[in-house]
Amino acid sequence: MAFGAEELRVLRRALALALHPSPASAEDVQDCLRLADSLDEAMREGARLRAFLVADLARYRAALPGTAAGYLTLLEEALGAAYRPNPDDLAALRALRGNPAAAVLLDRCQILAEQDVRARLARGTARQASPVVPASRTRLTALPGGLSGPVAGDADQDPAKKPERKPADKPAAPKPAPAAPKPTRPIPTPGEVFPRRKPTPPPAPNPPQELAAG
C-alpha cells in the first residue's frame, strides 16, 4: 500500500494531533476522515484480491503437475498479498522440488510456516502465564476484608457452617369422611306410611220377635 504526497501530509498531521493533542480545525478533521475512508476501502479491496488469488491457487494446485508454472506464479503473487501457505502448498512444493523456482518458494514457505508456529506458541504461552481470575473472586477482593474474609461457597464445604435443615413436614393424615347428617325428624315406619285399615265388624243379628199369643 503506497501513499501519495497529499495523503502523507494528512497522515503526518493526524500523528501530530495524536502525540500533541490540540484543537483541530474542521479542514483537518475532514482530511482525516477522508484518509480513513480511503484506507478502509484499500483494505477491503486487498481482502477481495487475496480471496480471488487463494481460489485460483487452489484450482491450480488441484491440477498439478500439469499446471506447475501457473501454480508457482500464483503462489508467489499470493505470498506478496499476505497469504500464508498451508500444508497442501508445502506438499505440492516438495513434489516440485526439481523446479528451481519451486525450490526457492519452498524455502520461503517453510520460513513463513515456522514463523506462524512460533507465533501461535507464543500466544498460547502468554495466555497460560496470565491466568484469568473468575469474576466472582475479583469482586470479593474489592469487599472489606478481601480474600481474608469468608468466601462465598466455603460455607458449603464446612459442615459446621451449614445451615440447619428444617425437618421435612410429615404428610397430613387423611381426613375421615364426613358423617351423614342426623335427621331432625324420626324416620316413619312403613306401617305409618301405609296404614292398614281395620276390618269392619259384621252387623249384630236382630233379636227374634216373640210370636204374638193367639
Side-chain angles (χ1 to χ4, degrees), residues 29-152:
V29 173
Q30 292 299 323
D31 290 342
C32 290
L33 291 176
R34 281 193 295 268
L35 179 60
D37 292 339
S38 299
L39 289 174
D40 292 340
E41 181 60 28
M43 293 178 65
R44 287 192 293 267
E45 186 64 26
R48 287 193 292 267
L49 176 61
R50 187 163 53 252
F52 282 121
L53 286 175
V54 171
D56 287 341
L57 189 65
R59 286 193 292 269
Y60 274 79
R61 186 175 58 239
L64 287 174
T67 56
Y71 170 73
L72 295 176
T73 302
L74 283 174
L75 180 58
E76 188 171 4
E77 187 176 356
L79 293 176
Y83 170 73
R84 291 299 187 182
N86 56 30
D88 292 338
D89 292 318
L90 296 176
L93 291 174
R94 291 190 185 98
L96 299 173
R97 189 174 298 176
N99 188 320
V104 174
L105 281 176
L106 177 59
D107 294 338
R108 181 180 175 185
C109 289
Q110 285 178 340
I111 294 173
L112 293 174
E114 291 174 0
Q115 291 176 355
D116 290 343
V117 171
R118 291 195 190 97
R120 285 195 296 269
L121 291 176
R123 287 194 296 268
T125 305
R127 284 195 294 268
Q128 293 176 1
S130 56
V132 179
V133 179
S136 59
R137 301 285 179 174
T138 306
R139 288 196 297 270
L140 288 174
T141 57
L143 297 175
L147 293 177
S148 59
V151 179

